[in-house]
Amino acid sequence: MDFSAGDHVVYPTHGVGKVLRIERQSIAGFELDLMVVEFERDKMTVRIPLTKVQSVGIRKLSTPLKMRTALDTLKGRARIKRAMWSRRAQEYEAKINSGDPVQIAEVVRDLHRNAGQPDQSYSERQIYESALDRLVRELAAVERIDEDSAAKKLDKYLKAA
């Protein structure tokens, strides 16, 4: 993958970030080329050796077509397995950390509650908010809109289900 300063990228465990620069640093006597990625909202900057970029799963933003597939996923019926909550929570976390917008959309769809439905437990709400936040941030970056507009767009899709 070829990344350059100013590109938006998706780090599976952190979400959408912006490449600030590619730099060379001497660490423990070794010269390393590092990609510096800033996650402005989280006030976090990470440096990833270029040799590790692929193995940690950093990728370019999704295509508009891939985001459309993710949004269409939100319209489907929730598929909640009959497994124990702890097992389902692990599966949801794995889907969120995959960085794949379609899998993240599945989590949002499965944990979304409309008015009149029973309330979520604290842990369900935490996982739901995490998945929703990741999807909103990538949608905003792909469509070059602010996060509030992206959240409203996702909300429309969820209400259409």
Side-chain angles (χ1 to χ4, degrees):
M1 291 247 172
D2 192 31
F3 299 103
S4 53
D7 288 351
H8 281 87
V9 295
V10 177
Y11 194 129
T13 54
H14 298 298
V16 177
K18 187 175 187 176
V19 177
L20 295 180
R21 64 189 167 279
I22 306 294
E23 65 185 22
R24 180 168 282 234
Q25 276 189 359
S26 180
I27 300 173
F30 293 97
E31 290 291 317
L32 289 176
D33 290 321
L34 304 169
M35 180 167 59
V36 182
V37 180
E38 177 188 43
F39 298 91
E40 187 177 319
R41 190 186 212 204
D42 301 329
K43 295 176 176 57
M44 177 175 69
T45 303
V46 295
R47 287 172 170 74
I48 305 110
L50 290 181
T51 56
K52 297 285 186 183
V53 166
Q54 194 168 7
S55 66
V56 297
I58 292 180
R59 63 173 174 79
K60 292 194 180 277
L61 287 176
S62 296
T63 62
L65 181 63
K66 179 89 167 183
M67 285 308 297
R68 169 78 44 223
T69 304
L71 292 174
D72 289 342
T73 300
L74 296 175
K75 291 181 182 176
R77 286 180 49 91
R79 295 191 186 108
I80 299 172
K81 295 180 180 170
R82 296 277 177 234
M84 298 286 289
W85 166 247
S86 58
R87 169 80 64 207
R88 288 194 338 257
Q90 285 177 336
E91 289 174 9
Y92 290 145
E93 290 287 351
K95 284 183 176 188
I96 292 168
N97 289 332
S98 74
D100 178 12
V102 175
Q103 288 189 27
I104 295 169
E106 289 172 2
V107 175
V108 171
R109 176 198 64 203
D110 292 350
L111 294 178
H112 177 71
R113 295 284 185 268
N114 285 314
Q117 286 185 302
D119 287 340
Q120 293 172 308
S121 69
Y122 177 77
S123 57
E124 267 184 311
R125 198 166 45 254
Q126 292 296 104
I127 292 173
Y128 172 74
E129 295 290 334
S130 174
L132 186 63
D133 181 61
R134 290 274 178 87
L135 203 53
V136 163
R137 287 163 72 179
E138 187 159 4
L139 180 64
V142 167
E143 296 194 355
R144 292 185 171 92
I145 56 177
D146 61 281
E147 290 182 15
D148 287 339
S149 300
K152 287 176 185 162
K153 186 170 186 171
L154 286 181
D155 199 43
K156 266 193 244 177
Y157 273 85
L158 286 167
K159 287 189 171 132

